[in-house]
Amino acid sequence: MKKRYLSVAAVTIAALALTACSSGGSGDGGSVDAKGQKLSVWIMQGTNPDSTAFFKEVGDEFKKETGATLDVQFVQWADAHDRFVTSIAGNTTPDVAETGTTWTAEFADAGALAPIGDYVEKAGLEDDLVKGLKESGTYDGELYGMPWYAGVRSLVYRADVFKELGIEAPKTWDDIVAAGEKIKAAKPDMIPFAVPGTAEFGVYPWVWGAGGQVATEKGGTWTSGLDSAKSREGIQFYTDLATKYGFSTSGATTWKETDVLDNFNQGKVAMAIQGSWTPATIVQKAPDLEGKIAATPIPGKDGGISPSVLGGSHLSVFNTAKNKDLAWKFVEMMTTGKYAEEWASQTGYFSGLNSLVKKAMESDDPLVKPFATQMVDGGASVPVTPQFGAVQAKQTTNAMIQSILSGQKTVDQATTDAAKEMTQLLNDK
């Protein structure tokens, strides 16, 4: 398997060039009569706004169209991978589930997912799928994950604090340090820049921003690049924000992304790497912060943009689903037309269809444009291989960062150990 990065710029160009070949958004790829049946669905939660009301509406429409009851269970992202592995082993998987883009190939490799390419082709959606999401949803030439949405992380900050202290949005790594120093001096009770120890996707931008690589593949063999000089430079800078400059807090050593978000909502954090979906969550949970937050692409070392993981989710049909047509009906309803647009609008994600990405790129919302810029000009992917799920399950990157933040290892020691473990895991079959 060759190393692949999501070609976000190409996606956007394709979207802008798109004509009337979209799905039309009806979500009506054929009627399904499933009166009295039930469809079990797992949807992830943790950093998204509360979607209970949204899925209540979807469930009502789903029953109206198919006669079937929609049984949605919300699963925390932090627990989801282990729960999937357990359910696959016990043959107790749901009919349909939201699968993270780094997991779909892994679950397909385990034989848990049903191919959906024929459904996509019949619905006329094949040419409208966002390329990167389609690639990560494809394994051994079969599509197992229907692109649902994509999100990207950028630098989110307190615009009111920046204005009060006369700080401009950072454009270089030195600008981040300068901004942090001003905030630290003026607001000692505020965390200038949160550096969480359990948030791997907040680490990779600094690796790429310094010119390093997470891992590369050659001749079928993967090699981690976390221990290269360039990768170490980026990791050193990121962890220095906490250990050298004191911009973070020791408690953040075990923080997840949800902990960063909670502390941001409480007014304790001035800057943090957060997803395009989080502004909606912030405003929902902390209404007093509306109009007081802003976003900017993650600065490159000396300017430009540090690439960020273009992550997201597929909707996958599991082999345990007794009625695959009914399962696809739900998938199509969620990923095309009205509900796809509503989901993107409510959450701050970008759709998995090129035709809907085009609409998002035309937005003049100041909390959409920076993320769109990051997505177009600075989107990247973790290694596209089923084995990357094992790296995430082992918490290789998080353990590396935690060991540095806690002072247990130097950057050189931690990256050497992490690269060795990642390389081994990526090549285990």
Side-chain angles (χ1 to χ4, degrees):
M1 182 181 294
K2 297 182 180 179
K3 180 185 72 171
R4 290 183 286 175
Y5 288 99
L6 301 188
S7 182
V8 185
V11 167
T12 305
I13 291 170
L16 293 173
L18 200 70
T19 58
C21 64
S22 76
S23 67
S26 67
D28 186 16
S31 61
V32 177
D33 184 2
K35 186 176 181 180
Q37 296 183 34
K38 182 172 71 173
L39 189 78
S40 61
V41 176
W42 287 4
I43 298 296
M44 303 302 108
Q45 67 175 7
T47 55
N48 302 346
D50 184 358
S51 56
T52 305
F54 174 82
F55 280 101
K56 172 63 168 60
E57 180 185 340
V58 171
D60 291 343
E61 182 62 26
F62 187 70
K63 189 163 190 176
K64 179 181 176 182
E65 291 192 19
T66 68
T69 299
L70 190 65
D71 178 20
V72 176
Q73 295 184 42
F74 297 100
V75 180
Q76 290 290 330
W77 274 113
D79 306 321
H81 188 272
D82 287 347
R83 186 167 173 180
F84 273 120
V85 171
T86 300
S87 68
I88 290 171
N91 205 36
T92 58
T93 50
D95 298 317
V96 178
E98 174 183 355
T99 54
T101 52
T102 59
W103 299 347
T104 306
E106 177 189 358
F107 300 157
D109 184 61
L113 304 182
I116 57 173
D118 288 346
Y119 285 109
V120 171
E121 185 176 355
K122 184 177 180 181
L125 296 169
E126 193 170 15
D127 293 335
D128 200 14
L129 304 184
V130 166
K131 182 181 178 182
L133 292 177
K134 180 181 178 181
E135 285 184 354
S136 58
T138 301
Y139 182 67
D140 266 357
E142 292 279 3
L143 184 68
Y144 290 96
M146 177 63 178
W148 184 16
Y149 64 81
V152 69
R153 291 162 180 81
S154 295
L155 180 61
V156 177
Y157 63 94
R158 285 286 297 275
D160 57 334
V161 172
F162 272 54
K163 183 177 181 180
E164 177 188 342
L165 301 180
I167 304 171
E168 298 291 331
K171 291 182 172 57
T172 66
W173 290 4
D174 285 345
D175 288 348
I176 292 176
V177 174
E181 295 286 15
K182 281 191 175 183
I183 295 167
K184 182 180 178 181
K187 298 184 179 294
D189 294 331
M190 181 171 263
I191 298 169
F193 196 112
V195 182
T198 313
E200 66 168 316
F201 286 172
V203 177
Y204 301 141
W206 314 103
V207 171
W208 290 320
Q213 297 288 350
V214 177
T216 56
E217 181 269 340
K218 185 176 181 180
T221 300
W222 286 90
T223 303
S224 174
L226 291 179
D227 57 348
S228 72
K230 290 181 178 179
S231 294
R232 284 172 170 167
E233 180 184 8
I235 292 168
Q236 185 76 64
F237 173 79
Y238 182 53
T239 53
D240 273 352
L241 294 176
T243 59
K244 178 180 178 179
Y245 299 108
F247 294 162
S248 191
T249 172
S250 59
T253 301
T254 58
W255 280 5
K256 304 181 181 73
E257 287 190 71
T258 49
D259 297 308
V260 175
L261 184 59
D262 288 344
N263 279 271
F264 195 98
N265 291 343
Q266 295 168 27
K268 298 178 181 179
V269 176
M271 288 185 283
I273 301 301
Q274 298 194 69
S276 53
W277 55 93
T278 56
T281 306
I282 292 170
V283 171
Q284 182 186 78
K285 295 187 176 181
D288 58 310
L289 290 181
E290 186 168 8
K292 298 179 181 179
I293 57 176
T296 190
I298 302 172
K301 178 184 174 184
D302 299 310
I305 298 176
S306 288
S308 178
V309 176
L310 175 58
S313 285
H314 301 122
L315 285 176
S316 296
V317 177
F318 281 78
N319 276 325
T320 50
K322 294 180 179 178
N323 189 336
K324 301 293 194 304
D325 290 346
L326 181 65
W328 168 253
K329 184 68 177 180
F330 170 75
V331 171
E332 187 179 19
M333 179 184 293
M334 291 299 300
T335 56
T336 66
K338 173 185 175 181
Y339 292 115
E341 291 192 70
E342 283 188 12
W343 179 257
S345 175
Q346 290 182 23
T347 63
Y349 287 111
F350 297 91
S351 172
L353 296 184
N354 289 324
S355 51
L356 297 182
V357 170
K358 177 182 176 181
K359 293 184 179 181
M361 294 305 169
E362 294 171 350
S363 171
D364 58 1
D365 188 328
L367 280 170
V368 171
K369 276 192 172 182
F371 288 108
T373 300
Q374 180 84 58
M375 181 176 173
V376 173
D377 297 331
S381 172
V382 296
V384 182
T385 166
Q387 278 66 47
F388 196 76
V391 174
Q392 292 188 299
K394 188 73 173 179
Q395 300 278 309
T396 301
T397 300
N398 291 337
M400 173 187 72
I401 294 299
Q402 288 176 357
S403 68
I404 298 169
L405 293 177
S406 64
Q408 294 177 350
K409 295 180 183 180
T410 64
V411 168
D412 283 2
Q413 292 170 330
T415 53
T416 295
D417 293 345
K420 181 180 179 181
E421 181 173 89
M422 182 178 287
T423 296
Q424 180 179 339
L425 291 169
L426 288 175
N427 292 292
D428 280 347
K429 303 297 183 183

